[in-house]
Protein backbone atom coordinates (compact mmCIF):
# COMPACT_ATOMS: atom_id res chain seq x y z
CA UNK A 1 0.00 0.00 0.00
CA UNK A 2 1.28 3.43 -0.85
CA UNK A 3 1.95 5.70 2.08
CA UNK A 4 2.37 9.43 2.17
CA UNK A 5 3.81 11.52 4.93
CA UNK A 6 1.41 13.39 7.22
CA UNK A 7 0.99 16.89 5.81
CA UNK A 8 1.19 19.86 8.13
CA UNK A 9 -0.84 22.75 6.80
CA UNK A 10 -0.71 26.34 7.84
CA UNK A 11 -3.12 27.16 10.63
CA UNK A 12 -6.43 28.44 9.33
CA UNK A 13 -7.14 32.05 10.29
CA UNK A 14 -10.41 31.50 12.16
CA UNK A 15 -10.32 34.51 14.43
CA UNK A 16 -13.24 33.32 16.51
CA UNK A 17 -11.50 30.01 17.23
CA UNK A 18 -7.71 30.25 17.06
CA UNK A 19 -5.89 32.96 19.00
CA UNK A 20 -2.18 34.01 19.41
CA UNK A 21 -0.41 36.63 21.52
CA UNK A 22 2.64 37.06 23.66
CA UNK A 23 2.72 35.40 27.04
CA UNK A 24 2.65 37.67 30.04
CA UNK A 25 5.84 37.28 32.03
CA UNK A 26 5.94 35.63 35.42
CA UNK A 27 8.89 35.11 37.69
CA UNK A 28 10.40 31.66 37.52
CA UNK A 29 13.23 31.98 39.97
CA UNK A 30 13.50 29.77 43.01
CA UNK A 31 15.08 32.19 45.45
CA UNK A 32 14.29 35.40 47.32
CA UNK A 33 16.70 38.29 47.83
CA UNK A 34 16.70 39.58 51.40
CA UNK A 35 17.25 43.21 52.39
CA UNK A 36 20.88 42.33 53.03
CA UNK A 37 21.34 41.02 49.51
CA UNK A 38 21.53 37.32 50.44
CA UNK A 39 19.40 34.86 48.51
CA UNK A 40 17.11 32.49 50.36
CA UNK A 41 15.41 29.47 48.77
CA UNK A 42 11.69 29.82 48.27
CA UNK A 43 9.52 27.65 50.45
CA UNK A 44 8.34 24.57 48.59
CA UNK A 45 4.61 24.41 47.92
CA UNK A 46 2.92 21.11 47.07
CA UNK A 47 -0.49 20.56 45.52
CA UNK A 48 -2.28 17.62 43.92
CA UNK A 49 -3.93 17.61 40.52
CA UNK A 50 -6.42 15.25 38.83
CA UNK A 51 -8.09 15.09 35.44
CA UNK A 52 -10.02 12.67 33.26
CA UNK A 53 -7.20 10.48 31.95
CA UNK A 54 -9.12 7.99 29.83
CA UNK A 55 -7.72 9.47 26.62
CA UNK A 56 -3.95 8.81 26.29
CA UNK A 57 -3.29 11.90 24.14
CA UNK A 58 -4.85 14.23 26.72
CA UNK A 59 -3.05 12.45 29.56
CA UNK A 60 0.29 12.86 27.79
CA UNK A 61 -0.34 16.51 26.88
CA UNK A 62 -1.30 17.51 30.43
CA UNK A 63 1.56 15.54 31.97
CA UNK A 64 4.01 17.32 29.64
CA UNK A 65 2.63 20.72 30.69
CA UNK A 66 2.93 19.81 34.38
CA UNK A 67 6.54 18.75 33.87
CA UNK A 68 7.37 21.98 32.00
CA UNK A 69 5.78 24.04 34.77
CA UNK A 70 7.75 22.33 37.53
CA UNK A 71 10.98 22.85 35.60
CA UNK A 72 10.19 26.56 35.40
CA UNK A 73 8.99 26.67 39.03
CA UNK A 74 11.21 24.30 41.05
CA UNK A 75 9.66 25.56 44.28
CA UNK A 76 6.20 24.23 43.30
CA UNK A 77 5.71 20.46 43.38
CA UNK A 78 2.65 19.00 41.66
CA UNK A 79 1.45 15.53 42.52
CA UNK A 80 -0.34 14.07 39.48
CA UNK A 81 -2.90 11.68 40.96
CA UNK A 82 -4.67 10.83 37.71
CA UNK A 83 -4.40 7.37 36.22
CA UNK A 84 -5.62 5.62 33.09
CA UNK A 85 -8.65 3.57 34.00
CA UNK A 86 -11.76 2.16 32.43
CA UNK A 87 -13.83 3.28 35.41
CA UNK A 88 -15.97 6.39 35.14
CA UNK A 89 -14.20 9.62 36.06
CA UNK A 90 -17.06 10.81 38.28
CA UNK A 91 -16.99 7.56 40.26
CA UNK A 92 -13.21 7.86 40.60
CA UNK A 93 -13.52 11.39 42.01
CA UNK A 94 -16.18 10.27 44.47
CA UNK A 95 -13.85 7.52 45.66
CA UNK A 96 -10.98 9.99 46.10
CA UNK A 97 -13.29 12.22 48.14
CA UNK A 98 -14.51 9.30 50.26
CA UNK A 99 -10.95 8.40 51.30
CA UNK A 100 -10.00 12.02 52.00
CA UNK A 101 -7.88 12.47 48.86
CA UNK A 102 -9.95 14.94 46.86
CA UNK A 103 -7.41 16.79 44.66
CA UNK A 104 -6.41 20.41 45.18
CA UNK A 105 -6.77 21.29 41.50
CA UNK A 106 -9.19 19.07 39.64
CA UNK A 107 -10.79 18.88 36.23
CA UNK A 108 -14.50 19.06 37.01
CA UNK A 109 -17.13 17.88 34.54
CA UNK A 110 -20.08 17.71 36.94
CA UNK A 111 -19.83 21.27 38.19
CA UNK A 112 -23.36 21.56 39.59
CA UNK A 113 -22.88 18.51 41.77
CA UNK A 114 -19.47 19.43 43.17
CA UNK A 115 -20.35 23.11 43.64
CA UNK A 116 -23.57 22.21 45.46
CA UNK A 117 -21.64 19.81 47.68
CA UNK A 118 -19.19 22.58 48.60
CA UNK A 119 -16.22 20.68 47.15
CA UNK A 120 -15.02 23.46 44.82
CA UNK A 121 -14.86 27.25 44.93
CA UNK A 122 -15.40 29.94 42.32
CA UNK A 123 -12.60 30.52 39.84
CA UNK A 124 -10.42 33.31 41.31
CA UNK A 125 -11.32 36.66 39.75
CA UNK A 126 -7.79 37.29 38.49
CA UNK A 127 -8.11 34.31 36.15
CA UNK A 128 -11.45 35.20 34.57
CA UNK A 129 -9.81 37.63 32.16
CA UNK A 130 -7.97 34.78 30.42
CA UNK A 131 -11.09 33.30 28.83
CA UNK A 132 -13.94 33.90 26.44
CA UNK A 133 -17.53 32.86 26.98
CA UNK A 134 -17.39 31.31 30.45
CA UNK A 135 -20.64 29.48 31.32
CA UNK A 136 -22.01 30.15 34.79
CA UNK A 137 -23.62 27.78 37.26
CA UNK A 138 -25.86 29.47 39.81
CA UNK A 139 -24.56 32.82 38.58
CA UNK A 140 -20.92 31.94 39.26
CA UNK A 141 -17.91 30.78 37.24
CA UNK A 142 -16.29 27.66 38.70
CA UNK A 143 -14.01 26.39 35.92
CA UNK A 144 -11.05 27.33 33.75
CA UNK A 145 -12.01 25.43 30.56
CA UNK A 146 -9.17 23.30 29.21
CA UNK A 147 -10.51 23.67 25.66
CA UNK A 148 -13.68 24.27 23.70
CA UNK A 149 -15.73 21.13 23.04
CA UNK A 150 -14.47 19.58 19.80
CA UNK A 151 -16.80 18.06 17.21
CA UNK A 152 -17.02 14.31 16.86
CA UNK A 153 -17.41 12.47 13.60
CA UNK A 154 -16.42 9.55 11.44
CA UNK A 155 -12.67 8.93 11.19
CA UNK A 156 -12.26 6.60 8.22
CA UNK A 157 -9.52 4.71 6.41
CA UNK A 158 -9.15 6.10 2.91
CA UNK A 159 -7.74 2.76 1.75
CA UNK A 160 -10.79 0.91 3.12
CA UNK A 161 -13.19 3.28 1.38
CA UNK A 162 -11.29 2.88 -1.90
CA UNK A 163 -11.27 -0.91 -1.56
CA UNK A 164 -15.06 -0.92 -1.07
CA UNK A 165 -15.58 1.39 -4.04
CA UNK A 166 -16.77 4.31 -1.92
CA UNK A 167 -16.05 7.49 -3.86
CA UNK A 168 -18.46 9.92 -2.20
CA UNK A 169 -18.93 10.82 1.46
CA UNK A 170 -22.48 10.24 2.74
CA UNK A 171 -24.91 13.12 2.46
CA UNK A 172 -27.51 11.48 4.71
CA UNK A 173 -27.52 8.86 7.47
CA UNK A 174 -29.16 6.45 5.03
CA UNK A 175 -26.19 6.82 2.67
CA UNK A 176 -23.89 6.15 5.62
CA UNK A 177 -25.71 2.85 6.26
CA UNK A 178 -25.22 1.97 2.59
CA UNK A 179 -21.48 2.49 3.07
CA UNK A 180 -21.51 -0.03 5.91
CA UNK A 181 -23.03 -2.61 3.56
CA UNK A 182 -20.31 -1.97 0.99
CA UNK A 183 -17.58 -2.41 3.60
CA UNK A 184 -19.06 -5.68 4.83
CA UNK A 185 -19.42 -6.90 1.25
CA UNK A 186 -15.62 -6.85 0.87
CA UNK A 187 -15.10 -8.59 4.22
CA UNK A 188 -14.32 -5.57 6.39
CA UNK A 189 -15.56 -4.73 9.90
CA UNK A 190 -17.20 -1.32 9.39
CA UNK A 191 -16.82 0.29 12.84
CA UNK A 192 -14.62 -0.14 15.90
CA UNK A 193 -16.09 0.76 19.30
CA UNK A 194 -14.09 0.83 22.55
CA UNK A 195 -16.97 0.50 25.01
CA UNK A 196 -14.96 -1.13 27.78
CA UNK A 197 -14.39 2.53 28.67
CA UNK A 198 -17.99 3.59 29.35
CA UNK A 199 -17.45 7.15 28.13
CA UNK A 200 -16.66 5.86 24.62
CA UNK A 201 -20.15 4.41 24.29
CA UNK A 202 -21.48 7.91 24.85
CA UNK A 203 -20.09 9.17 21.55
CA UNK A 204 -22.66 7.13 19.62
CA UNK A 205 -25.46 7.49 22.19
CA UNK A 206 -25.21 11.26 22.00
CA UNK A 207 -24.83 11.32 18.23
CA UNK A 208 -28.36 9.94 17.95
CA UNK A 209 -29.75 11.94 20.88
CA UNK A 210 -28.48 15.17 19.35
CA UNK A 211 -29.93 14.32 15.93
CA UNK A 212 -33.36 13.28 17.18
CA UNK A 213 -33.76 15.26 20.43
CA UNK A 214 -31.40 18.12 21.27
CA UNK A 215 -31.20 19.57 17.76
CA UNK A 216 -34.89 20.40 17.99
CA UNK A 217 -35.22 20.85 21.75
CA UNK A 218 -32.06 21.90 23.66
CA UNK A 219 -34.15 22.13 26.86
CA UNK A 220 -35.31 18.51 26.69
CA UNK A 221 -33.47 17.57 29.90
CA UNK A 222 -35.28 20.27 31.88
CA UNK A 223 -38.60 19.15 30.46
CA UNK A 224 -37.80 15.55 31.38
CA UNK A 225 -37.04 16.56 34.96
CA UNK A 226 -40.42 18.35 35.02
CA UNK A 227 -42.05 15.20 33.56
CA UNK A 228 -43.23 17.10 30.49
CA UNK A 229 -41.47 14.68 28.12
CA UNK A 230 -40.52 11.01 28.35
CA UNK A 231 -37.83 8.62 27.23
CA UNK A 232 -40.66 6.67 25.63
CA UNK A 233 -41.53 9.58 23.31
CA UNK A 234 -41.12 8.84 19.62
CA UNK A 235 -37.97 10.95 19.13
CA UNK A 236 -36.02 9.25 21.93
CA UNK A 237 -37.21 5.79 20.93
CA UNK A 238 -36.13 6.54 17.35
CA UNK A 239 -32.69 7.69 18.54
CA UNK A 240 -32.13 4.57 20.61
CA UNK A 241 -33.52 2.35 17.85
CA UNK A 242 -30.92 3.80 15.47
CA UNK A 243 -28.26 3.18 18.11
CA UNK A 244 -29.34 -0.42 18.74
CA UNK A 245 -29.58 -1.36 15.06
CA UNK A 246 -26.14 0.04 14.26
CA UNK A 247 -24.51 -1.84 17.13
CA UNK A 248 -26.20 -5.10 16.22
CA UNK A 249 -24.99 -5.03 12.63
CA UNK A 250 -21.96 -2.82 12.01
CA UNK A 251 -19.55 -2.68 14.99
CA UNK A 252 -16.69 -5.00 15.95
CA UNK A 253 -17.76 -8.17 17.76
CA UNK A 254 -15.68 -7.44 20.86
CA UNK A 255 -16.87 -3.86 21.29
CA UNK A 256 -17.78 -4.35 24.94
CA UNK A 257 -14.31 -5.64 25.85
CA UNK A 258 -12.35 -3.20 23.66
CA UNK A 259 -10.61 -0.26 25.35
CA UNK A 260 -10.86 3.22 23.91
CA UNK A 261 -7.05 3.33 23.58
CA UNK A 262 -7.13 0.22 21.35
CA UNK A 263 -9.33 1.82 18.70
CA UNK A 264 -6.58 3.77 16.91
CA UNK A 265 -4.44 0.67 16.32
CA UNK A 266 -7.47 -1.33 15.20
CA UNK A 267 -8.21 1.35 12.62
CA UNK A 268 -4.65 1.67 11.32
CA UNK A 269 -4.11 -2.10 11.21
CA UNK A 270 -7.19 -2.61 9.05
CA UNK A 271 -9.19 -4.52 11.66
CA UNK A 272 -11.92 -1.91 11.21
CA UNK A 273 -12.61 0.71 8.57
CA UNK A 274 -14.03 3.52 10.70
CA UNK A 275 -14.11 5.01 14.17
CA UNK A 276 -16.63 7.50 15.57
CA UNK A 277 -14.74 9.81 17.91
CA UNK A 278 -13.28 13.29 18.32
CA UNK A 279 -10.30 15.29 17.12
CA UNK A 280 -8.13 14.13 20.04
CA UNK A 281 -7.81 10.79 18.25
CA UNK A 282 -5.86 12.26 15.33
CA UNK A 283 -2.55 12.31 17.19
CA UNK A 284 -3.08 8.74 18.44
CA UNK A 285 -3.72 7.56 14.88
CA UNK A 286 -0.59 9.30 13.59
CA UNK A 287 1.44 7.79 16.42
CA UNK A 288 0.11 4.31 15.66
CA UNK A 289 0.99 4.67 11.96
CA UNK A 290 2.51 7.96 10.70
CA UNK A 291 1.76 7.02 7.11
CA UNK A 292 -1.86 6.04 7.62
CA UNK A 293 -4.23 7.89 5.27
CA UNK A 294 -7.51 8.84 6.85
CA UNK A 295 -10.30 11.38 6.62
CA UNK A 296 -12.83 12.96 8.95
CA UNK A 297 -16.41 14.11 8.44
CA UNK A 298 -19.50 14.97 10.46
CA UNK A 299 -22.07 12.20 10.17
CA UNK A 300 -25.32 13.71 8.81
CA UNK A 301 -28.77 12.84 10.13
CA UNK A 302 -31.51 11.26 8.05
CA UNK A 303 -32.40 14.58 6.42
CA UNK A 304 -28.78 15.44 5.67
CA UNK A 305 -28.35 17.98 8.47
CA UNK A 306 -25.07 17.99 10.39
CA UNK A 307 -25.20 18.31 14.18
CA UNK A 308 -22.10 18.11 16.36
CA UNK A 309 -20.91 18.52 19.92
CA UNK A 310 -19.50 22.03 20.17
CA UNK A 311 -21.20 24.30 22.72
CA UNK A 312 -19.23 25.63 25.70
CA UNK A 313 -20.04 23.97 29.00
CA UNK A 314 -19.02 24.57 32.63
CA UNK A 315 -16.12 22.14 32.77
CA UNK A 316 -12.40 22.53 33.40
CA UNK A 317 -9.84 23.22 36.13
CA UNK A 318 -11.48 23.96 39.48
CA UNK A 319 -9.92 24.81 42.82
CA UNK A 320 -11.02 22.61 45.69
CA UNK A 321 -12.62 24.27 48.70
CA UNK A 322 -10.02 22.69 50.98
CA UNK A 323 -7.07 23.99 48.92
CA UNK A 324 -8.64 27.45 48.83
CA UNK A 325 -8.13 27.67 52.59
CA UNK A 326 -4.34 27.60 52.06
CA UNK A 327 -3.11 30.94 50.68
CA UNK A 328 0.28 29.64 49.50
CA UNK A 329 -1.28 26.63 47.79
CA UNK A 330 -3.92 28.84 46.14
CA UNK A 331 -1.27 31.19 44.75
CA UNK A 332 0.72 28.22 43.40
CA UNK A 333 -2.37 26.85 41.69
CA UNK A 334 -3.16 30.24 40.16
CA UNK A 335 0.42 30.40 38.88
CA UNK A 336 0.00 26.97 37.27
CA UNK A 337 -3.26 27.96 35.58
CA UNK A 338 -1.66 31.10 34.14
CA UNK A 339 1.23 28.98 32.87
CA UNK A 340 -1.06 26.31 31.43
CA UNK A 341 -2.97 28.86 29.32
CA UNK A 342 0.03 30.99 28.30
CA UNK A 343 0.55 30.89 24.49
CA UNK A 344 3.61 28.63 24.28
CA UNK A 345 2.62 25.81 26.66
CA UNK A 346 -1.05 26.06 25.71
CA UNK A 347 -0.33 25.79 21.98
CA UNK A 348 1.74 22.64 22.66
CA UNK A 349 -1.08 21.20 24.75
CA UNK A 350 -3.68 21.91 22.06
CA UNK A 351 -1.45 20.52 19.32
CA UNK A 352 -1.09 17.30 21.31
CA UNK A 353 -4.86 16.75 21.40
CA UNK A 354 -5.93 18.71 18.29
CA UNK A 355 -7.99 20.91 20.60
CA UNK A 356 -9.78 24.22 20.24
CA UNK A 357 -8.62 27.06 22.52
CA UNK A 358 -10.84 28.57 25.20
CA UNK A 359 -8.65 31.63 25.82
CA UNK A 360 -8.95 35.19 24.61
CA UNK A 361 -5.32 35.10 23.50
CA UNK A 362 -4.79 34.00 19.91
CA UNK A 363 -3.24 30.54 19.78
CA UNK A 364 -1.99 28.91 16.60
CA UNK A 365 -0.54 25.52 15.81
CA UNK A 366 -0.07 23.54 12.61
CA UNK A 367 -3.06 21.48 11.58
CA UNK A 368 -3.67 18.70 9.08
CA UNK A 369 -6.59 18.30 6.72
CA UNK A 370 -8.66 16.39 9.30
CA UNK A 371 -8.40 19.15 11.91
CA UNK A 372 -9.15 21.78 9.31
CA UNK A 373 -12.38 19.95 8.54
CA UNK A 374 -13.26 20.07 12.25
CA UNK A 375 -12.54 23.80 12.35
CA UNK A 376 -14.78 24.35 9.34
CA UNK A 377 -17.59 22.54 11.14
CA UNK A 378 -17.19 24.79 14.17
CA UNK A 379 -17.23 27.91 11.98
CA UNK A 380 -20.21 26.82 9.85
CA UNK A 381 -23.45 28.52 11.03
CA UNK A 382 -25.52 25.79 9.35
CA UNK A 383 -24.00 23.11 11.58
CA UNK A 384 -25.93 22.78 14.86
CA UNK A 385 -23.71 22.82 17.96
CA UNK A 386 -24.98 20.88 20.96
CA UNK A 387 -23.87 19.06 24.12
CA UNK A 388 -23.93 15.51 25.41
CA UNK A 389 -26.73 14.46 27.74
CA UNK A 390 -24.63 14.98 30.89
CA UNK A 391 -22.88 18.21 29.87
CA UNK A 392 -25.89 20.51 30.14
CA UNK A 393 -26.26 22.57 33.28
CA UNK A 394 -28.75 24.68 35.21
CA UNK A 395 -32.31 23.51 34.64
CA UNK A 396 -31.00 21.02 32.05
CA UNK A 397 -28.73 19.24 34.52
CA UNK A 398 -29.42 15.52 34.82
CA UNK A 399 -28.83 13.53 38.04
CA UNK A 400 -25.06 12.95 38.33
CA UNK A 401 -25.26 9.14 38.33
CA UNK A 402 -27.82 8.81 35.54
CA UNK A 403 -25.46 8.96 32.57
CA UNK A 404 -23.46 5.86 33.48
CA UNK A 405 -26.60 3.99 34.51
CA UNK A 406 -28.23 4.86 31.18
CA UNK A 407 -25.23 3.76 29.12
CA UNK A 408 -25.14 0.42 30.93
CA UNK A 409 -28.87 0.00 30.35
CA UNK A 410 -28.28 0.48 26.63
CA UNK A 411 -25.51 -2.12 26.65
CA UNK A 412 -27.95 -4.59 28.17
CA UNK A 413 -30.59 -3.64 25.59
CA UNK A 414 -28.22 -4.47 22.74
CA UNK A 415 -26.90 -7.71 24.22
CA UNK A 416 -30.39 -9.04 25.00
CA UNK A 417 -32.04 -7.63 21.88
CA UNK A 418 -34.45 -5.89 24.25
CA UNK A 419 -37.51 -3.91 23.22
CA UNK A 420 -36.48 -0.25 22.95
CA UNK A 421 -39.72 1.17 24.37
CA UNK A 422 -39.59 -1.20 27.33
CA UNK A 423 -36.02 -0.16 28.10
CA UNK A 424 -36.96 3.52 27.78
CA UNK A 425 -39.71 2.89 30.34
CA UNK A 426 -37.01 1.68 32.69
CA UNK A 427 -35.01 4.84 31.94
CA UNK A 428 -38.01 6.98 32.90
CA UNK A 429 -38.43 5.21 36.23
CA UNK A 430 -34.74 5.43 37.10
CA UNK A 431 -34.50 9.07 36.07
CA UNK A 432 -37.43 10.00 38.36
CA UNK A 433 -35.92 8.00 41.20
CA UNK A 434 -32.56 9.75 40.90
CA UNK A 435 -34.17 13.19 40.63
CA UNK A 436 -36.03 12.49 43.87
CA UNK A 437 -32.89 11.21 45.60
CA UNK A 438 -30.94 14.29 44.54
Amino acid sequence: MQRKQWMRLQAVPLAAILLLTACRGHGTGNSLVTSGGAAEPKKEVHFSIAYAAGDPATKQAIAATIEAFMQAHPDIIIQDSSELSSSAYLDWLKLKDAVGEFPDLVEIRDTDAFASAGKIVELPSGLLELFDNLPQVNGKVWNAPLFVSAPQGIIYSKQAYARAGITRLPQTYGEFLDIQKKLKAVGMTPLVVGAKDIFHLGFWVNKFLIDEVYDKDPDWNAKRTAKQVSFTDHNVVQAMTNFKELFQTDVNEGWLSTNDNQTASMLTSGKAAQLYSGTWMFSQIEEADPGFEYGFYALPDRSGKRNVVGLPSPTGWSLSAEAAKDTEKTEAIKEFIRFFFAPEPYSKFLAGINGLPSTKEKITYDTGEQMQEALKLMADPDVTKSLMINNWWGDNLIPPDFRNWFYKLLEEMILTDGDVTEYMNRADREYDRQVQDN
Side-chain angles (χ1 to χ4, degrees):
M1 161 179 161
Q2 274 190 325
R3 302 285 192 189
K4 68 178 182 182
Q5 292 299 314
W6 166 252
M7 290 195 315
R8 289 292 184 184
L9 307 180
Q10 290 188 352
V12 288
L14 295 176
I17 298 177
L18 299 179
L19 299 163
L20 174 61
T21 124
C23 171
R24 125 167 66 170
H26 290 286
T28 60
N30 64 344
S31 63
L32 295 172
V33 179
T34 66
S35 57
E40 294 181 356
K42 278 187 178 181
K43 177 183 176 182
E44 277 192 357
V45 180
H46 295 244
F47 71 84
S48 60
I49 191 171
Y51 45 91
D55 168 50
T58 303
K59 165 74 173 176
Q60 183 177 358
I62 294 178
T65 305
I66 292 172
E67 181 63 29
F69 174 80
M70 288 196 293
Q71 288 181 1
H73 300 76
D75 54 302
I76 300 176
I77 311 301
I78 300 177
Q79 177 190 354
D80 183 350
S81 61
S82 297
E83 58 186 35
L84 289 172
S85 172
S86 61
S87 62
Y89 180 59
L90 175 60
D91 294 339
W92 183 79
L93 279 181
K94 287 181 177 179
L95 178 61
K96 299 293 281 187
D97 183 39
V99 298
E101 297 178 1
F102 194 75
D104 298 316
L105 179 63
V106 56
E107 181 190 0
I108 292 292
R109 298 184 171 187
D110 300 87
T111 298
D112 270 296
F114 285 100
S116 298
K119 294 298 177 182
I120 58 175
V121 297
E122 292 179 66
L123 189 68
S125 58
L127 301 176
L128 298 177
E129 63 191 33
L130 298 176
F131 306 99
D132 268 329
N133 197 14
L134 289 173
Q136 297 184 356
V137 173
N138 299 324
K140 300 176 181 179
V141 175
W142 305 85
N143 322 94
L146 277 71
F147 41 72
V148 173
S149 296
Q152 295 162 13
I154 293 294
I155 304 171
Y156 67 97
S157 163
K158 291 185 176 182
Q159 183 191 41
Y161 271 34
R163 178 182 167 192
I166 302 163
T167 58
R168 177 175 178 264
L169 296 181
Q171 301 303 301
T172 65
Y173 182 67
E175 291 184 9
F176 173 73
L177 293 180
D178 290 338
I179 285 177
Q180 311 318 297
K181 294 176 183 177
K182 292 180 180 179
L183 291 167
K184 286 186 288 188
V186 294
M188 302 190 68
T189 298
L191 290 157
V192 57
V193 172
K196 186 174 181 180
D197 294 299
I198 192 76
F199 69 86
H200 184 111
L201 191 71
F203 302 154
W204 276 114
V205 174
N206 285 281
K207 155 63 186 169
F208 294 120
L209 284 177
I210 290 172
D211 282 353
E212 301 292 339
V213 180
Y214 297 126
D215 173 42
K216 302 169 186 65
D217 190 357
D219 291 317
W220 189 88
N221 286 2
K223 293 176 182 177
R224 178 60 198 81
T225 300
K227 299 184 179 181
Q228 297 170 357
V229 295
S230 166
F231 281 95
T232 61
D233 290 344
H234 172 75
N235 56 348
V236 185
V237 170
Q238 182 64 62
M240 294 302 96
T241 298
N242 294 343
F243 171 77
K244 176 187 172 185
E245 291 177 348
L246 183 77
F247 269 62
Q248 288 185 326
T249 58
D250 297 323
V251 305
N252 56 304
E253 289 186 0
W255 60 272
L256 198 54
S257 59
T258 301
N259 289 314
D260 175 82
N261 61 16
Q262 293 177 273
T263 57
S265 61
M266 291 182 69
L267 183 68
T268 58
S269 66
K271 293 181 180 178
Q274 305 156 114
L275 164 67
Y276 188 81
S277 193
T279 59
W280 57 87
M281 289 301 302
F282 298 163
S283 58
Q284 293 185 51
I285 290 168
E286 296 158 34
E287 184 177 345
D289 184 348
F292 184 69
E293 298 182 0
Y294 67 100
F296 174 80
Y297 61 86
L299 180 55
D301 65 14
R302 292 185 180 274
S303 67
K305 193 171 182 297
R306 295 178 299 167
N307 312 302
V308 300
V309 171
L311 289 179
S313 61
T315 63
W317 294 127
S318 295
L319 182 64
S320 76
E322 192 63 30
K325 298 175 184 177
D326 186 323
T327 301
E328 292 180 341
K329 187 175 288 189
T330 297
E331 289 303 313
I333 290 173
K334 288 165 65 176
E335 189 70 16
F336 172 76
I337 292 176
R338 292 190 187 99
F339 179 91
F340 186 92
F341 292 103
E344 183 177 352
Y346 193 39
S347 63
K348 292 179 180 178
F349 167 73
L350 292 173
I353 62 169
N354 286 284
L356 305 178
S358 60
T359 54
K360 289 180 181 177
E361 307 238 12
K362 295 200 173 195
I363 305 294
T364 60
Y365 62 90
D366 292 339
T367 60
E369 62 175 274
Q370 300 83 4
M371 189 62 194
Q372 289 200 27
E373 181 60 30
L375 294 174
K376 289 176 184 176
L377 291 170
M378 293 299 291
D380 189 340
D382 294 327
V383 175
T384 297
K385 316 304 187 299
S386 185
L387 289 173
M388 293 187 174
I389 185 173
N390 60 303
N391 290 141
W392 302 93
W393 70 96
D395 292 339
N396 286 300
L397 178 72
I398 66 171
D401 295 322
F402 182 77
R403 186 204 75 164
N404 290 346
W405 181 92
F406 185 56
Y407 290 177
K408 291 173 183 176
L409 178 76
L410 297 178
E411 290 177 347
E412 179 187 323
M413 180 184 72
I414 296 168
L415 295 174
T416 63
D417 192 24
D419 179 76
V420 176
T421 300
E422 178 184 336
Y423 272 78
M424 291 306 99
N425 262 314
R426 289 172 58 180
D428 270 334
R429 293 195 298 270
E430 178 66 16
Y431 191 94
D432 290 338
R433 186 194 69 78
Q434 290 197 22
V435 167
Q436 184 175 1
D437 287 351
N438 283 277

